[in-house]
Amino acid sequence: IQYRKLEMTDLDMVAPLALSWTSEIGHDFTPEQYVNQFRTFISDNCHAHLAEDDGSIVGLVVSYEKEFPWSGKRLLEEGFFYVMPQYRRNGVGLHLLEQIKESARQRNIDILIAMPTYFGAPDPLKAGASFEKAGFSLHGYVYKLELN
């Protein structure tokens, strides 16, 4: 498995991953709708990393920078985190989270947050366990990791 940043040219390869995710959580969106959504989200304040096996995307994490001027903190919020079922429990998700953490450190992000129970986690408890293994701690329903 290879890990790297998501490029705009990768977006068409996201469709099978999106199809797996939508079927697992019972959404009626098409993979094309998700690909178009990713197209609009990918920007300078986006951190997106993928896991690739034999030319197919098998895992993806997308996070977005947010600034809160009143707190003086820069946050990175996880917006999408999914690993194909057959690749789970092999460290793929943990490796993707490590890539996001490194990307955040390079951009001087103070805090990472994730809400796997909020929307779209096939199994929020297992997703939460992945965040905990990566150093996040649970605060209410939000997983948080302070980098600075």
Short mmCIF file of all heavy atoms in Angstrom, two decimals, residues 3-52:
data_model
loop_
_atom_site.label_atom_id
_atom_site.label_comp_id
_atom_site.label_asym_id
_atom_site.label_seq_id
_atom_site.Cartn_x
_atom_site.Cartn_y
_atom_site.Cartn_z
N TYR A 3 1.01 5.53 0.27
CA TYR A 3 0.31 6.66 0.86
C TYR A 3 0.84 7.94 0.25
O TYR A 3 2.05 8.09 0.07
CB TYR A 3 0.51 6.68 2.38
CG TYR A 3 0.01 5.43 3.04
CD1 TYR A 3 0.84 4.33 3.21
CD2 TYR A 3 -1.30 5.35 3.48
CE1 TYR A 3 0.37 3.17 3.81
CE2 TYR A 3 -1.78 4.19 4.08
CZ TYR A 3 -0.93 3.10 4.24
OH TYR A 3 -1.41 1.97 4.83
N ARG A 4 -0.07 8.86 -0.06
CA ARG A 4 0.35 10.13 -0.65
C ARG A 4 -0.78 11.14 -0.55
O ARG A 4 -1.91 10.80 -0.20
CB ARG A 4 0.79 9.94 -2.09
CG ARG A 4 -0.30 9.44 -3.01
CD ARG A 4 0.25 9.19 -4.42
NE ARG A 4 -0.74 8.59 -5.29
CZ ARG A 4 -1.70 9.23 -5.93
NH1 ARG A 4 -1.83 10.53 -5.79
NH2 ARG A 4 -2.54 8.59 -6.71
N LYS A 5 -0.44 12.39 -0.91
CA LYS A 5 -1.46 13.43 -0.93
C LYS A 5 -2.41 13.19 -2.09
O LYS A 5 -2.01 12.70 -3.14
CB LYS A 5 -0.79 14.80 -1.09
CG LYS A 5 -0.05 15.26 0.14
CD LYS A 5 0.58 16.61 -0.05
CE LYS A 5 -0.46 17.66 0.19
NZ LYS A 5 0.07 19.03 0.23
N LEU A 6 -3.66 13.54 -1.89
CA LEU A 6 -4.66 13.47 -2.95
C LEU A 6 -4.44 14.64 -3.91
O LEU A 6 -4.28 15.78 -3.48
CB LEU A 6 -6.07 13.56 -2.36
CG LEU A 6 -7.23 13.56 -3.36
CD1 LEU A 6 -7.44 12.17 -3.92
CD2 LEU A 6 -8.50 14.05 -2.68
N GLU A 7 -4.41 14.35 -5.18
CA GLU A 7 -4.27 15.37 -6.22
C GLU A 7 -5.60 15.49 -6.95
O GLU A 7 -6.41 14.55 -6.96
CB GLU A 7 -3.17 14.98 -7.21
CG GLU A 7 -1.81 14.72 -6.58
CD GLU A 7 -1.16 15.96 -6.03
OE1 GLU A 7 -1.50 17.07 -6.50
OE2 GLU A 7 -0.32 15.84 -5.12
N MET A 8 -5.82 16.63 -7.58
CA MET A 8 -7.06 16.82 -8.36
C MET A 8 -7.23 15.72 -9.41
O MET A 8 -8.35 15.30 -9.69
CB MET A 8 -7.08 18.19 -9.01
CG MET A 8 -7.26 19.33 -8.04
SD MET A 8 -8.85 19.31 -7.19
CE MET A 8 -9.89 20.07 -8.41
N THR A 9 -6.13 15.25 -9.96
CA THR A 9 -6.21 14.22 -11.00
C THR A 9 -6.65 12.86 -10.43
O THR A 9 -7.00 11.97 -11.19
CB THR A 9 -4.84 14.06 -11.71
OG1 THR A 9 -3.84 13.79 -10.71
CG2 THR A 9 -4.48 15.32 -12.47
N ASP A 10 -6.66 12.72 -9.10
CA ASP A 10 -7.09 11.47 -8.46
C ASP A 10 -8.59 11.39 -8.26
O ASP A 10 -9.11 10.33 -7.93
CB ASP A 10 -6.44 11.32 -7.08
CG ASP A 10 -4.94 11.19 -7.14
OD1 ASP A 10 -4.43 10.51 -8.05
OD2 ASP A 10 -4.27 11.76 -6.25
N LEU A 11 -9.30 12.50 -8.44
CA LEU A 11 -10.70 12.54 -8.03
C LEU A 11 -11.58 11.52 -8.74
O LEU A 11 -12.50 10.99 -8.13
CB LEU A 11 -11.25 13.96 -8.19
CG LEU A 11 -10.71 14.95 -7.17
CD1 LEU A 11 -11.29 16.33 -7.42
CD2 LEU A 11 -10.98 14.50 -5.75
N ASP A 12 -11.30 11.23 -9.99
CA ASP A 12 -12.13 10.23 -10.68
C ASP A 12 -11.95 8.83 -10.07
O ASP A 12 -12.83 7.99 -10.17
CB ASP A 12 -11.82 10.21 -12.17
CG ASP A 12 -12.33 11.45 -12.88
OD1 ASP A 12 -13.30 12.06 -12.38
OD2 ASP A 12 -11.75 11.83 -13.91
N MET A 13 -10.80 8.61 -9.41
CA MET A 13 -10.57 7.31 -8.77
C MET A 13 -11.27 7.19 -7.42
O MET A 13 -11.28 6.12 -6.82
CB MET A 13 -9.05 7.08 -8.59
CG MET A 13 -8.32 6.93 -9.89
SD MET A 13 -6.51 6.71 -9.77
CE MET A 13 -6.15 6.45 -8.08
N VAL A 14 -11.87 8.28 -6.94
CA VAL A 14 -12.56 8.28 -5.65
C VAL A 14 -13.91 7.56 -5.75
O VAL A 14 -14.43 7.06 -4.75
CB VAL A 14 -12.73 9.73 -5.13
CG1 VAL A 14 -13.64 9.79 -3.92
CG2 VAL A 14 -11.38 10.33 -4.80
N ALA A 15 -14.49 7.46 -6.94
CA ALA A 15 -15.85 6.92 -7.10
C ALA A 15 -16.04 5.54 -6.48
O ALA A 15 -17.01 5.33 -5.73
CB ALA A 15 -16.24 6.92 -8.58
N PRO A 16 -15.17 4.54 -6.72
CA PRO A 16 -15.39 3.24 -6.08
C PRO A 16 -15.36 3.30 -4.55
O PRO A 16 -16.13 2.62 -3.88
CB PRO A 16 -14.25 2.37 -6.62
CG PRO A 16 -13.84 3.02 -7.90
CD PRO A 16 -14.05 4.49 -7.67
N LEU A 17 -14.48 4.13 -4.00
CA LEU A 17 -14.41 4.30 -2.56
C LEU A 17 -15.72 4.91 -2.05
O LEU A 17 -16.29 4.45 -1.06
CB LEU A 17 -13.23 5.18 -2.19
CG LEU A 17 -12.99 5.39 -0.71
CD1 LEU A 17 -12.06 4.32 -0.17
CD2 LEU A 17 -12.42 6.77 -0.46
N ALA A 18 -16.20 5.93 -2.74
CA ALA A 18 -17.46 6.58 -2.35
C ALA A 18 -18.63 5.61 -2.44
O ALA A 18 -19.52 5.62 -1.59
CB ALA A 18 -17.70 7.81 -3.22
N LEU A 19 -18.63 4.77 -3.45
CA LEU A 19 -19.70 3.77 -3.60
C LEU A 19 -19.70 2.80 -2.42
O LEU A 19 -20.75 2.47 -1.86
CB LEU A 19 -19.54 3.02 -4.92
CG LEU A 19 -20.59 1.96 -5.21
CD1 LEU A 19 -21.98 2.57 -5.27
CD2 LEU A 19 -20.27 1.23 -6.51
N SER A 20 -18.52 2.36 -2.01
CA SER A 20 -18.41 1.46 -0.86
C SER A 20 -18.93 2.15 0.40
O SER A 20 -19.71 1.56 1.17
CB SER A 20 -16.95 1.03 -0.66
OG SER A 20 -16.82 0.24 0.49
N TRP A 21 -18.53 3.41 0.59
CA TRP A 21 -18.96 4.15 1.78
C TRP A 21 -20.47 4.35 1.78
O TRP A 21 -21.14 4.11 2.79
CB TRP A 21 -18.22 5.49 1.83
CG TRP A 21 -18.61 6.37 2.97
CD1 TRP A 21 -18.40 6.14 4.30
CD2 TRP A 21 -19.29 7.62 2.90
NE1 TRP A 21 -18.89 7.18 5.05
CE2 TRP A 21 -19.44 8.10 4.22
CE3 TRP A 21 -19.78 8.38 1.84
CZ2 TRP A 21 -20.07 9.31 4.50
CZ3 TRP A 21 -20.39 9.58 2.14
CH2 TRP A 21 -20.53 10.03 3.46
N THR A 22 -21.04 4.79 0.65
CA THR A 22 -22.48 5.06 0.61
C THR A 22 -23.29 3.80 0.83
O THR A 22 -24.31 3.82 1.50
CB THR A 22 -22.91 5.73 -0.72
OG1 THR A 22 -22.49 4.94 -1.81
CG2 THR A 22 -22.33 7.12 -0.84
N SER A 23 -22.83 2.67 0.28
CA SER A 23 -23.58 1.43 0.48
C SER A 23 -23.47 0.96 1.94
O SER A 23 -24.42 0.41 2.48
CB SER A 23 -23.10 0.34 -0.47
OG SER A 23 -21.78 -0.04 -0.18
N GLU A 24 -22.35 1.23 2.58
CA GLU A 24 -22.16 0.80 3.96
C GLU A 24 -23.00 1.62 4.94
O GLU A 24 -23.47 1.09 5.95
CB GLU A 24 -20.68 0.90 4.33
CG GLU A 24 -20.34 0.18 5.59
CD GLU A 24 -18.85 0.02 5.81
OE1 GLU A 24 -18.04 0.31 4.91
OE2 GLU A 24 -18.49 -0.39 6.93
N ILE A 25 -23.20 2.90 4.67
CA ILE A 25 -23.95 3.72 5.62
C ILE A 25 -25.39 3.98 5.18
O ILE A 25 -26.15 4.62 5.89
CB ILE A 25 -23.25 5.07 5.90
CG1 ILE A 25 -23.14 5.91 4.64
CG2 ILE A 25 -21.90 4.84 6.55
CD1 ILE A 25 -22.66 7.32 4.90
N GLY A 26 -25.77 3.48 4.00
CA GLY A 26 -27.15 3.58 3.57
C GLY A 26 -27.55 4.91 2.96
O GLY A 26 -28.73 5.24 2.93
N HIS A 27 -26.60 5.68 2.47
CA HIS A 27 -26.94 6.93 1.79
C HIS A 27 -27.33 6.64 0.34
O HIS A 27 -26.89 5.67 -0.24
CB HIS A 27 -25.76 7.91 1.80
CG HIS A 27 -25.63 8.64 3.09
ND1 HIS A 27 -26.11 9.91 3.27
CD2 HIS A 27 -25.09 8.27 4.27
CE1 HIS A 27 -25.86 10.29 4.50
NE2 HIS A 27 -25.23 9.31 5.13
N ASP A 28 -28.13 7.52 -0.24
CA ASP A 28 -28.56 7.32 -1.61
C ASP A 28 -27.85 8.24 -2.59
O ASP A 28 -28.30 8.45 -3.70
CB ASP A 28 -30.07 7.46 -1.74
CG ASP A 28 -30.57 8.83 -1.28
OD1 ASP A 28 -29.76 9.62 -0.78
OD2 ASP A 28 -31.77 9.08 -1.44
N PHE A 29 -26.71 8.83 -2.18
CA PHE A 29 -25.94 9.65 -3.10
C PHE A 29 -25.19 8.76 -4.07
O PHE A 29 -24.82 7.64 -3.74
CB PHE A 29 -24.92 10.52 -2.33
CG PHE A 29 -25.56 11.52 -1.42
CD1 PHE A 29 -25.46 11.39 -0.05
CD2 PHE A 29 -26.27 12.59 -1.94
CE1 PHE A 29 -26.04 12.31 0.79
CE2 PHE A 29 -26.86 13.52 -1.10
CZ PHE A 29 -26.74 13.38 0.27
N THR A 30 -24.95 9.29 -5.24
CA THR A 30 -24.16 8.54 -6.22
C THR A 30 -22.68 8.85 -6.03
O THR A 30 -22.33 9.91 -5.50
CB THR A 30 -24.56 8.92 -7.66
OG1 THR A 30 -24.18 10.29 -7.89
CG2 THR A 30 -26.04 8.74 -7.91
N PRO A 31 -21.80 7.95 -6.45
CA PRO A 31 -20.36 8.24 -6.37
C PRO A 31 -20.01 9.53 -7.10
O PRO A 31 -19.15 10.28 -6.64
CB PRO A 31 -19.72 7.03 -7.04
CG PRO A 31 -20.69 5.93 -6.85
CD PRO A 31 -22.06 6.60 -6.92
N GLU A 32 -20.68 9.81 -8.21
CA GLU A 32 -20.41 11.03 -8.96
C GLU A 32 -20.70 12.28 -8.13
O GLU A 32 -19.99 13.27 -8.21
CB GLU A 32 -21.19 11.06 -10.28
CG GLU A 32 -20.76 9.99 -11.27
CD GLU A 32 -21.28 8.58 -10.95
OE1 GLU A 32 -22.27 8.44 -10.18
OE2 GLU A 32 -20.66 7.62 -11.42
N GLN A 33 -21.77 12.22 -7.34
CA GLN A 33 -22.10 13.35 -6.47
C GLN A 33 -20.97 13.59 -5.46
O GLN A 33 -20.62 14.73 -5.19
CB GLN A 33 -23.42 13.12 -5.75
CG GLN A 33 -24.63 13.23 -6.66
CD GLN A 33 -25.90 12.80 -5.96
OE1 GLN A 33 -25.98 11.72 -5.39
NE2 GLN A 33 -26.91 13.67 -6.01
N TYR A 34 -20.40 12.52 -4.93
CA TYR A 34 -19.31 12.68 -3.98
C TYR A 34 -18.05 13.18 -4.65
O TYR A 34 -17.34 14.03 -4.10
CB TYR A 34 -19.03 11.37 -3.23
CG TYR A 34 -20.05 11.16 -2.14
CD1 TYR A 34 -21.03 10.20 -2.27
CD2 TYR A 34 -20.05 11.96 -1.01
CE1 TYR A 34 -21.97 10.02 -1.29
CE2 TYR A 34 -21.01 11.79 -0.02
CZ TYR A 34 -21.96 10.82 -0.17
OH TYR A 34 -22.90 10.65 0.80
N VAL A 35 -17.76 12.69 -5.83
CA VAL A 35 -16.59 13.16 -6.57
C VAL A 35 -16.73 14.66 -6.82
O VAL A 35 -15.78 15.43 -6.61
CB VAL A 35 -16.39 12.38 -7.88
CG1 VAL A 35 -15.34 13.05 -8.75
CG2 VAL A 35 -16.00 10.94 -7.58
N ASN A 36 -17.91 15.09 -7.25
CA ASN A 36 -18.14 16.52 -7.47
C ASN A 36 -18.01 17.31 -6.17
O ASN A 36 -17.49 18.43 -6.16
CB ASN A 36 -19.50 16.75 -8.11
CG ASN A 36 -19.53 16.29 -9.55
OD1 ASN A 36 -18.49 16.24 -10.21
ND2 ASN A 36 -20.70 15.93 -10.03
N GLN A 37 -18.48 16.74 -5.07
CA GLN A 37 -18.36 17.39 -3.77
C GLN A 37 -16.88 17.55 -3.40
O GLN A 37 -16.46 18.61 -2.95
CB GLN A 37 -19.09 16.55 -2.73
CG GLN A 37 -19.54 17.26 -1.51
CD GLN A 37 -20.54 18.37 -1.80
OE1 GLN A 37 -21.10 18.55 -2.87
NE2 GLN A 37 -20.76 19.16 -0.80
N PHE A 38 -16.10 16.50 -3.60
CA PHE A 38 -14.66 16.57 -3.30
C PHE A 38 -14.00 17.63 -4.17
O PHE A 38 -13.12 18.35 -3.71
CB PHE A 38 -13.97 15.23 -3.52
CG PHE A 38 -14.21 14.24 -2.41
CD1 PHE A 38 -14.73 12.99 -2.69
CD2 PHE A 38 -13.92 14.56 -1.09
CE1 PHE A 38 -14.95 12.07 -1.68
CE2 PHE A 38 -14.14 13.66 -0.08
CZ PHE A 38 -14.66 12.40 -0.37
N ARG A 39 -14.42 17.73 -5.41
CA ARG A 39 -13.86 18.74 -6.32
C ARG A 39 -14.04 20.14 -5.76
O ARG A 39 -13.14 20.97 -5.84
CB ARG A 39 -14.53 18.64 -7.69
CG ARG A 39 -13.59 18.32 -8.77
CD ARG A 39 -14.24 18.31 -10.15
NE ARG A 39 -13.52 17.30 -10.89
CZ ARG A 39 -13.93 16.05 -11.08
NH1 ARG A 39 -15.08 15.68 -10.62
NH2 ARG A 39 -13.19 15.20 -11.73
N THR A 40 -15.20 20.42 -5.19
CA THR A 40 -15.45 21.75 -4.64
C THR A 40 -14.72 21.98 -3.32
O THR A 40 -14.40 23.10 -2.98
CB THR A 40 -16.96 22.01 -4.44
OG1 THR A 40 -17.47 21.07 -3.49
CG2 THR A 40 -17.71 21.91 -5.74
N PHE A 41 -14.45 20.90 -2.58
CA PHE A 41 -13.81 21.04 -1.28
C PHE A 41 -12.29 21.16 -1.36
O PHE A 41 -11.68 21.75 -0.48
CB PHE A 41 -14.14 19.85 -0.37
CG PHE A 41 -15.54 19.86 0.14
CD1 PHE A 41 -16.17 18.66 0.40
CD2 PHE A 41 -16.22 21.03 0.37
CE1 PHE A 41 -17.47 18.65 0.89
CE2 PHE A 41 -17.51 21.03 0.86
CZ PHE A 41 -18.14 19.83 1.12
N ILE A 42 -11.69 20.55 -2.37
CA ILE A 42 -10.23 20.54 -2.46
C ILE A 42 -9.76 21.96 -2.75
O ILE A 42 -10.11 22.57 -3.75
CB ILE A 42 -9.74 19.57 -3.55
CG1 ILE A 42 -10.27 18.16 -3.31
CG2 ILE A 42 -8.22 19.59 -3.63
CD1 ILE A 42 -9.86 17.53 -2.00
N SER A 43 -8.98 22.50 -1.81
CA SER A 43 -8.50 23.87 -1.92
C SER A 43 -7.21 24.00 -1.12
O SER A 43 -6.70 23.02 -0.58
CB SER A 43 -9.55 24.84 -1.40
OG SER A 43 -9.74 24.62 -0.02
N ASP A 44 -6.70 25.22 -1.01
CA ASP A 44 -5.47 25.44 -0.26
C ASP A 44 -5.61 25.11 1.22
O ASP A 44 -4.64 24.78 1.87
CB ASP A 44 -5.02 26.90 -0.42
CG ASP A 44 -4.48 27.19 -1.80
OD1 ASP A 44 -4.12 26.23 -2.53
OD2 ASP A 44 -4.43 28.37 -2.18
N ASN A 45 -6.81 25.24 1.76
CA ASN A 45 -6.98 24.96 3.19
C ASN A 45 -7.42 23.52 3.45
O ASN A 45 -7.86 23.18 4.53
CB ASN A 45 -7.95 25.95 3.84
CG ASN A 45 -9.38 25.72 3.41
OD1 ASN A 45 -9.66 25.06 2.41
ND2 ASN A 45 -10.31 26.26 4.17
N CYS A 46 -7.28 22.68 2.46
CA CYS A 46 -7.67 21.27 2.56
C CYS A 46 -6.43 20.39 2.67
O CYS A 46 -5.45 20.59 1.97
CB CYS A 46 -8.48 20.90 1.32
SG CYS A 46 -8.91 19.16 1.25
N HIS A 47 -6.50 19.44 3.57
CA HIS A 47 -5.45 18.44 3.71
C HIS A 47 -6.09 17.10 3.34
O HIS A 47 -7.02 16.67 4.03
CB HIS A 47 -4.95 18.36 5.16
CG HIS A 47 -4.36 19.64 5.65
ND1 HIS A 47 -3.07 19.73 6.09
CD2 HIS A 47 -4.88 20.89 5.78
CE1 HIS A 47 -2.82 20.97 6.48
NE2 HIS A 47 -3.90 21.69 6.31
N ALA A 48 -5.65 16.48 2.27
CA ALA A 48 -6.25 15.23 1.82
C ALA A 48 -5.16 14.22 1.49
O ALA A 48 -4.23 14.53 0.74
CB ALA A 48 -7.14 15.47 0.60
N HIS A 49 -5.28 13.04 2.07
CA HIS A 49 -4.29 11.98 1.85
C HIS A 49 -5.03 10.69 1.52
O HIS A 49 -6.12 10.44 2.03
CB HIS A 49 -3.42 11.79 3.08
CG HIS A 49 -2.55 12.98 3.36
ND1 HIS A 49 -1.29 13.10 2.87
CD2 HIS A 49 -2.80 14.12 4.04
CE1 HIS A 49 -0.77 14.25 3.25
NE2 HIS A 49 -1.68 14.90 3.96
N LEU A 50 -4.42 9.88 0.68
CA LEU A 50 -5.05 8.63 0.28
C LEU A 50 -4.12 7.45 0.49
O LEU A 50 -2.90 7.61 0.58
CB LEU A 50 -5.50 8.71 -1.18
CG LEU A 50 -4.46 8.93 -2.27
CD1 LEU A 50 -3.81 7.63 -2.71
CD2 LEU A 50 -5.11 9.60 -3.47
N ALA A 51 -4.73 6.29 0.56
CA ALA A 51 -4.03 5.02 0.56
C ALA A 51 -4.39 4.36 -0.76
O ALA A 51 -5.57 4.30 -1.13
CB ALA A 51 -4.47 4.14 1.73
N GLU A 52 -3.39 3.86 -1.45
CA GLU A 52 -3.61 3.30 -2.79
C GLU A 52 -3.00 1.90 -2.85
O GLU A 52 -1.89 1.67 -2.38
CB GLU A 52 -2.93 4.22 -3.80
CG GLU A 52 -3.18 3.90 -5.23
CD GLU A 52 -2.55 4.94 -6.15
OE1 GLU A 52 -1.64 5.67 -5.74
OE2 GLU A 52 -2.99 4.98 -7.30
#
